Amino acid sequence: GVCDQSFGIHVAELANFPESIVRLAKRKVEELEDFGVKDAGGEAQAMDVDSSESVTFTKRQMADGSRLIELFLSEFTNTPGLSDMASDQIALRVNELRAKYDSDISANAWVQHVIATL
Protein backbone atom coordinates (compact mmCIF):
# COMPACT_ATOMS: atom_id res chain seq x y z
CA GLY A 1 0.00 0.00 0.00
CA VAL A 2 0.87 3.67 0.01
CA CYS A 3 3.44 4.75 2.57
CA ASP A 4 4.14 8.27 3.78
CA GLN A 5 7.86 7.51 4.08
CA SER A 6 10.38 6.22 1.58
CA PHE A 7 13.09 3.80 2.54
CA GLY A 8 15.05 4.25 -0.69
CA ILE A 9 17.89 6.07 1.06
CA HIS A 10 18.15 3.33 3.65
CA VAL A 11 18.29 0.73 0.89
CA ALA A 12 21.02 2.74 -0.80
CA GLU A 13 23.00 2.80 2.45
CA LEU A 14 22.59 -0.96 2.84
CA ALA A 15 23.73 -1.40 -0.76
CA ASN A 16 26.90 0.54 0.09
CA PHE A 17 26.18 3.33 -2.35
CA PRO A 18 28.94 5.94 -2.22
CA GLU A 19 28.50 8.25 0.77
CA SER A 20 28.43 11.29 -1.53
CA ILE A 21 25.37 9.88 -3.34
CA VAL A 22 23.59 9.11 -0.06
CA ARG A 23 24.32 12.63 1.24
CA LEU A 24 23.00 14.14 -2.00
CA ALA A 25 19.82 12.06 -1.78
CA LYS A 26 19.28 13.13 1.83
CA ARG A 27 19.79 16.78 0.86
CA LYS A 28 17.27 16.48 -1.97
CA VAL A 29 14.71 14.92 0.38
CA GLU A 30 15.18 17.84 2.77
CA GLU A 31 14.81 20.33 -0.08
CA LEU A 32 11.61 18.68 -1.29
CA GLU A 33 10.22 18.61 2.25
CA ASP A 34 11.09 22.27 2.72
CA PHE A 35 9.55 23.33 -0.58
CA GLY A 36 6.67 20.86 -0.76
CA VAL A 37 3.21 22.38 -0.61
CA LYS A 38 -0.33 21.27 -1.34
CA ASP A 39 -2.37 23.12 -3.89
CA ALA A 40 -6.12 23.69 -3.58
CA GLY A 41 -6.81 20.40 -5.38
CA GLY A 42 -4.71 18.40 -2.93
CA GLU A 43 -1.96 17.72 -5.44
CA ALA A 44 1.57 17.79 -4.12
CA GLN A 45 3.92 20.37 -5.50
CA ALA A 46 7.69 20.41 -5.34
CA MET A 47 9.84 23.45 -5.92
CA ASP A 48 12.52 22.88 -8.52
CA VAL A 49 15.38 24.46 -6.60
CA ASP A 50 17.56 24.80 -9.69
CA SER A 51 15.11 26.94 -11.63
CA SER A 52 12.80 28.24 -8.87
CA GLU A 53 9.81 26.91 -10.82
CA SER A 54 6.98 25.05 -9.14
CA VAL A 55 6.47 21.54 -10.47
CA THR A 56 3.26 19.68 -9.67
CA PHE A 57 2.93 15.92 -9.26
CA THR A 58 -0.06 13.88 -8.24
CA LYS A 59 0.04 11.74 -5.14
CA ARG A 60 -0.33 8.75 -7.45
CA GLN A 61 2.75 9.76 -9.50
CA MET A 62 4.81 10.11 -6.34
CA ALA A 63 3.56 6.86 -4.80
CA ASP A 64 4.10 4.90 -8.03
CA GLY A 65 7.47 6.57 -8.51
CA SER A 66 8.58 5.75 -4.97
CA ARG A 67 7.67 2.11 -5.51
CA LEU A 68 9.58 2.09 -8.79
CA ILE A 69 12.71 3.56 -7.20
CA GLU A 70 12.52 1.14 -4.30
CA LEU A 71 12.05 -1.79 -6.72
CA PHE A 72 15.07 -0.65 -8.75
CA LEU A 73 17.24 -0.26 -5.64
CA SER A 74 16.04 -3.56 -4.19
CA GLU A 75 16.89 -5.42 -7.38
CA PHE A 76 20.27 -3.70 -7.45
CA THR A 77 21.07 -4.64 -3.85
CA ASN A 78 20.08 -8.25 -4.52
CA THR A 79 22.51 -8.54 -7.43
CA PRO A 80 24.55 -11.71 -6.83
CA GLY A 81 28.18 -10.92 -6.05
CA LEU A 82 27.56 -7.18 -5.84
CA SER A 83 30.03 -6.67 -3.00
CA ASP A 84 32.81 -8.27 -5.08
CA MET A 85 32.11 -6.34 -8.29
CA ALA A 86 34.52 -3.79 -9.71
CA SER A 87 33.15 -0.30 -10.36
CA ASP A 88 32.81 -0.94 -14.11
CA GLN A 89 30.75 -4.07 -13.40
CA ILE A 90 28.54 -2.10 -11.00
CA ALA A 91 28.03 0.60 -13.63
CA LEU A 92 27.10 -2.09 -16.16
CA ARG A 93 24.55 -3.54 -13.71
CA VAL A 94 23.02 -0.12 -13.07
CA ASN A 95 22.75 0.42 -16.84
CA GLU A 96 21.09 -2.99 -17.27
CA LEU A 97 18.52 -2.12 -14.63
CA ARG A 98 18.00 1.33 -16.12
CA ALA A 99 17.26 -0.31 -19.49
CA LYS A 100 14.89 -2.79 -17.82
CA TYR A 101 12.90 -0.04 -16.09
CA ASP A 102 13.26 2.60 -18.82
CA SER A 103 9.64 2.53 -19.98
CA ASP A 104 8.38 2.84 -16.38
CA ILE A 105 10.82 5.65 -15.67
CA SER A 106 9.79 7.44 -18.86
CA ALA A 107 6.13 7.15 -17.89
CA ASN A 108 6.57 8.78 -14.48
CA ALA A 109 7.27 12.51 -14.42
CA TRP A 110 8.11 12.47 -10.71
CA VAL A 111 10.83 9.83 -11.15
CA GLN A 112 12.22 11.80 -14.09
CA HIS A 113 12.28 14.90 -11.89
CA VAL A 114 14.06 13.04 -9.07
CA ILE A 115 16.70 11.73 -11.50
CA ALA A 116 17.18 15.16 -13.04
CA THR A 117 17.85 16.72 -9.63
CA LEU A 118 20.60 14.25 -8.69
Side-chain angles (χ1 to χ4, degrees):
V2 176
C3 175
D4 66 350
Q5 296 179 352
S6 172
F7 297 99
I9 291 175
H10 301 294
V11 172
E13 290 173 323
L14 290 171
N16 293 319
F17 271 54
E19 182 60 32
S20 61
I21 299 294
V22 174
R23 277 194 316 269
L24 176 63
K26 287 179 180 179
R27 191 176 80 223
K28 290 298 179 181
V29 166
E30 289 173 5
E31 289 172 359
L32 290 173
E33 287 174 351
D34 288 343
F35 290 109
V37 296
K38 300 279 185 196
D39 68 9
E43 290 187 335
Q45 294 182 338
M47 180 68 73
D48 186 338
V49 293
D50 294 328
S51 66
S52 298
E53 294 178 17
S54 180
V55 183
T56 303
F57 305 102
T58 65
K59 291 178 183 180
R60 173 88 181 200
Q61 284 174 312
M62 292 188 295
D64 290 348
S66 292
R67 281 190 293 275
L68 176 59
I69 291 170
E70 289 181 18
L71 183 62
F72 182 101
L73 290 173
S74 177
E75 191 166 341
F76 175 77
T77 60
N78 290 317
T79 299
L82 180 63
S83 61
D84 299 322
M85 288 183 173
S87 59
D88 60 331
Q89 293 171 306
I90 292 172
L92 179 63
R93 180 64 177 144
V94 168
N95 288 335
E96 289 171 353
L97 290 172
R98 177 67 194 253
K100 177 180 178 179
Y101 291 103
D102 188 56
S103 63
D104 294 323
I105 291 169
S106 296
N108 189 294
W110 183 79
V111 172
Q112 292 175 31
H113 179 75
V114 169
I115 293 170
T117 59
L118 294 177

